[in-house]
Amino acid sequence: MSPFVDYSEYGKKLPVRGGVEARSRRGGFGRTWWGKALVESVERMAEPGRLTRGRNYARSGQVVNYRIEPGAVTAEVQGSQPKPFTAVFTVRPLREDELEVLIETIRAAPGMLAEIASGALPTGLGPLLLPSTAADLDFTCTCPDPGWPCKHVAAVCYLLAERLDERPREILTLRGLDLDTLIGGIEREPSPAVDDDPYGENIALPALPSVEFRAAPEDLDPMLLRRALRMTSADETTAATGLRELTALYRLLDR
């Protein structure tokens, strides 16, 4: 829970001439799907009181200026002090694996890249591009309010939602992308499929070859074999018997 802050000690906000004033005069912010989705992402994580004051700041033109950069929106917001505060709304850039999913999604949908190049952004990419958790966002400001976010950053978020109403493709910049990088990734040859069985545990092995058995005596010169048997036998009958028994023994191995 955020600590109690007595805002009366800071005094009233100083008026701004030529500030960025919200188009919305009452009710919610965001006219389009992308603008509303960004507001919903921020409001799920922020303290309602500071958001109310942020809407008031956005509508009264307290945001002097802001610029969108890769991964962040940096703004000067006039509060009660003579010098404007520097408020920064940061969005985590897409990781490499998230970028690959985005590229594959666009590559698989004919016409989607042309739609993006024209300045539109299909709402089907919302789950891949919009920040959805507190880990995806950060809010900082030079003001003394420890809120997350403070009213100054909240005002910037609401103006950013209106910016996305007009230029939804700028969500790509917030996620650290530019159109050229996206096009280059889509035109690149798809990565080869990852082998999910690198050790071959699920591969069906071929059947073992069938080997034709041949008894060893059949591959020997019979004359030389008999000569060798005669040299170790008492007589011709014994040598012939040894040859028969040797041949029979090798055939038993084939059973």
Side-chain angles (χ1 to χ4, degrees):
M1 184 176 179
S2 301
F4 173 76
V5 179
D6 183 4
Y7 293 96
S8 63
E9 66 177 284
Y10 299 130
K12 295 182 178 181
K13 61 181 181 292
L14 301 179
V16 176
R17 282 189 175 184
V20 184
E21 193 169 338
R23 293 187 300 273
S24 169
R25 307 316 303 166
R26 62 174 61 85
F29 275 76
R31 294 183 294 103
T32 67
W33 188 91
W34 284 100
K36 290 177 181 177
L38 179 72
V39 168
E40 290 171 0
S41 295
V42 173
E43 290 184 343
R44 281 198 305 268
M45 308 171 204
E47 191 269 320
R50 288 183 171 86
L51 292 177
T52 299
R53 289 185 286 273
R55 287 192 290 270
N56 178 270
Y57 263 56
R59 286 177 171 135
S60 60
Q62 296 302 118
V63 177
V64 180
N65 57 64
Y66 71 90
R67 64 181 183 276
I68 299 176
E69 304 167 312
V73 181
T74 302
E76 289 186 312
V77 184
Q78 182 65 59
S80 59
Q81 306 300 311
K83 183 179 179 182
F85 299 117
T86 299
V88 182
F89 170 52
T90 305
V91 182
R92 176 183 62 79
L94 291 180
R95 298 188 301 268
E96 191 66 30
D97 60 316
E98 294 171 326
L99 176 57
E100 286 302 316
V101 172
L102 177 66
I103 287 173
E104 289 303 322
T105 301
I106 298 172
R107 182 185 284 139
M112 185 177 285
L113 181 58
E115 189 177 353
I116 296 171
S118 71
L121 200 61
T123 57
L125 298 180
L128 304 178
L129 290 172
L130 284 170
S132 58
T133 67
D136 295 331
L137 300 176
D138 199 10
F139 311 101
T140 59
C141 187
T142 56
C143 75
D145 181 6
W148 195 87
C150 66
K151 61 193 173 194
H152 309 105
V153 182
V156 176
C157 293
Y158 287 118
L159 291 179
L160 177 61
E162 293 194 335
R163 178 72 169 258
L164 293 182
D165 285 340
E166 301 295 329
R167 304 177 186 177
R169 203 174 71 190
E170 296 209 6
I171 192 71
L172 296 177
T173 305
L174 287 175
R175 298 316 296 261
L177 289 173
D178 58 50
L179 186 59
D180 289 341
T181 300
L182 192 61
I183 292 174
I186 293 169
E187 292 178 344
R188 190 173 61 242
E189 287 295 322
S191 302
V194 177
D195 186 1
D196 57 359
D197 185 24
Y199 299 105
E201 296 178 356
N202 301 318
I203 295 177
L205 297 177
L208 293 174
S210 177
V211 180
E212 181 182 356
F213 177 81
R214 287 171 59 87
E218 295 179 11
D219 291 328
L220 300 176
D221 186 328
M223 299 299 295
L224 293 177
L225 179 58
R226 289 181 181 180
R227 183 181 300 175
L229 289 171
R230 288 193 193 102
M231 293 175 62
T232 57
S233 304
D235 50 41
E236 182 67 25
T237 302
T238 304
T241 302
L243 178 60
R244 288 194 302 274
E245 292 178 349
L246 182 62
T247 302
L249 179 62
Y250 271 101
R251 293 198 177 279
L252 285 174
L253 297 176
D254 187 32
R255 296 181 181 178

